[in-house]
Amino acid sequence: MSITSHAPPDISPKDPSEDPDASVAATAPVPAPAPALVPVVPASARRRSVPRWVRRTVGPLLLLALWQLASSFGLLAADTLAPPSTIAAAGADLITDGTLPAAMGVSLQRVAIGLVLGGAAGTVLALLSGLSRLGEDLIDASVQMLRTVPWVGLIPLFIIWMGIGEAPKVALIALGTAFHLYLNVYAGIRGVDEQLIEAGGSLGLGRWGLIRHVVLPGALPGFMTGLRYSLATGWLALVFGESINADAGIGFLMNQAREFFRTDVIVVCLVVYAFLGLTADLIVRALERLLLQWRPTFTGQ
């Protein structure tokens, strides 16, 4: 009977040269550290080293400087067009004596009333025509026919019908603004995707639910576009409207300045028209960004 030996295992350290695995581990290269991450800056951001508002003001300032130089060297006569310095002085005088603020208030009131009346009429007609085929048959043809008539040419009829007071001025502004809102709201309603209508119907929305949750939000971009066009047309109609025997307003100041060949006052009134129109457009654009946050759009590069 053989006796099996139970000797303890040999735990003494081995020579690395005798263990092939240990020699491979000892000679393995140490991994290099990971490179540092560098933030990637878009090319458009790298190009915009100068603020945008600075770049947008370079053109107007350069034009004013050339204008002033041409007037100073006699290339542009003051009787033809007053220099910017004279125009600025005239504007300061009109503001100081309260003439210009009062005229601005009267003109703003006329535009506001005309825009509300014309905008309401154009929007209501667009809703009736866009949401119903019967409404389209009854309304659209008449509106399209009236739209082709130059609304400025209706001034003599407005004077005969309404006299020379405030009514023809407001009516002219309302007529000029109504068509833009009608066309854009109508196009916005008819431009709603048919698949969205079907999806809303499958979710259980009725007719009024579809109009409220699908059609009207889809037509909102068209309404905002029409509102911007209506504001621009409203200021244009104001210029023509205030030429109808006006006794107050910016147009009244322009007519007075024309009688006395005051080109500086005329340019001040034109600048005020442009400032009011630009301010109104900026307000509508801010409102558009607020109401249309759900619609991503391309903003340029």
Side-chain angles (χ1 to χ4, degrees):
M1 180 175 178
S2 62
I3 299 174
T4 305
S5 175
H6 296 278
D10 185 9
I11 59 174
S12 60
K14 297 182 180 180
D15 187 2
S17 59
E18 297 178 358
D19 190 355
D21 295 334
S23 61
V24 171
T27 58
V30 179
L37 298 178
V38 179
V40 178
V41 180
S44 59
R46 291 196 299 267
R47 292 194 302 265
R48 296 175 182 174
S49 57
V50 181
R52 188 177 182 185
W53 66 270
V54 175
R55 291 182 288 141
R56 291 175 67 91
T57 56
V58 170
L61 291 178
L62 181 60
L63 180 61
L64 287 176
L66 293 176
W67 182 2
Q68 182 65 44
L69 289 175
S71 299
S72 301
F73 287 102
L75 300 177
L76 184 61
D79 295 337
T80 304
L81 186 62
S85 57
T86 305
I87 294 172
D93 293 339
L94 291 174
I95 294 174
T96 303
D97 61 15
T99 302
L100 188 59
M104 290 174 59
V106 174
S107 297
L108 281 173
Q109 182 180 2
R110 289 168 178 162
V111 171
I113 296 175
L115 182 64
V116 170
L117 295 178
T123 303
V124 170
L125 291 176
L127 291 175
L128 295 175
S129 180
L131 296 175
S132 170
R133 292 182 180 178
L134 177 61
E136 180 183 10
D137 296 337
L138 296 177
I139 296 173
D140 187 67
S142 300
V143 173
Q144 296 295 341
M145 180 182 62
L146 292 175
R147 184 178 65 87
T148 59
V149 178
W151 49 268
V152 179
L154 297 176
I155 292 178
L157 283 177
F158 285 172
I159 294 176
I160 295 174
W161 295 340
M162 307 175 192
I164 56 176
E166 291 295 313
K169 303 175 182 61
V170 174
L172 190 65
I173 297 171
L175 183 64
T177 58
F179 292 124
H180 289 295
L181 276 170
Y182 173 83
L183 292 175
N184 285 275
V185 174
Y186 175 81
I189 293 175
R190 291 304 175 93
V192 175
D193 193 351
E194 184 67 25
Q195 294 181 354
L196 296 178
I197 303 295
E198 295 177 357
S202 64
L203 292 176
L205 293 177
R207 177 177 175 81
W208 294 111
L210 289 174
I211 293 174
R212 178 183 176 184
H213 298 287
V214 180
V215 177
L216 293 183
L220 186 59
F223 173 81
M224 301 305 298
T225 302
L227 184 59
R228 292 182 64 183
Y229 280 116
S230 296
L231 281 171
T233 306
W235 292 111
L236 179 62
L238 178 66
V239 176
F240 291 102
E242 290 185 335
S243 65
I244 308 174
N245 195 25
D247 56 358
I250 303 175
F252 174 69
L253 290 180
M254 291 184 64
N255 291 332
Q256 278 191 327
R258 181 195 60 193
E259 297 295 334
F260 295 99
F261 298 97
R262 293 288 305 274
T263 59
D264 52 350
V265 177
I266 293 176
V267 175
V268 168
C269 294
L270 292 176
V271 171
V272 171
Y273 275 130
F275 173 76
L276 293 177
L278 182 62
T279 302
D281 185 72
L282 290 176
I283 293 175
V284 175
R285 293 179 66 177
L287 186 63
E288 185 178 7
R289 287 192 296 269
L290 179 64
L291 297 178
L292 301 180
Q293 295 180 358
W294 52 269
R295 188 188 66 162
T297 56
F298 177 68
T299 58
Q301 295 181 349

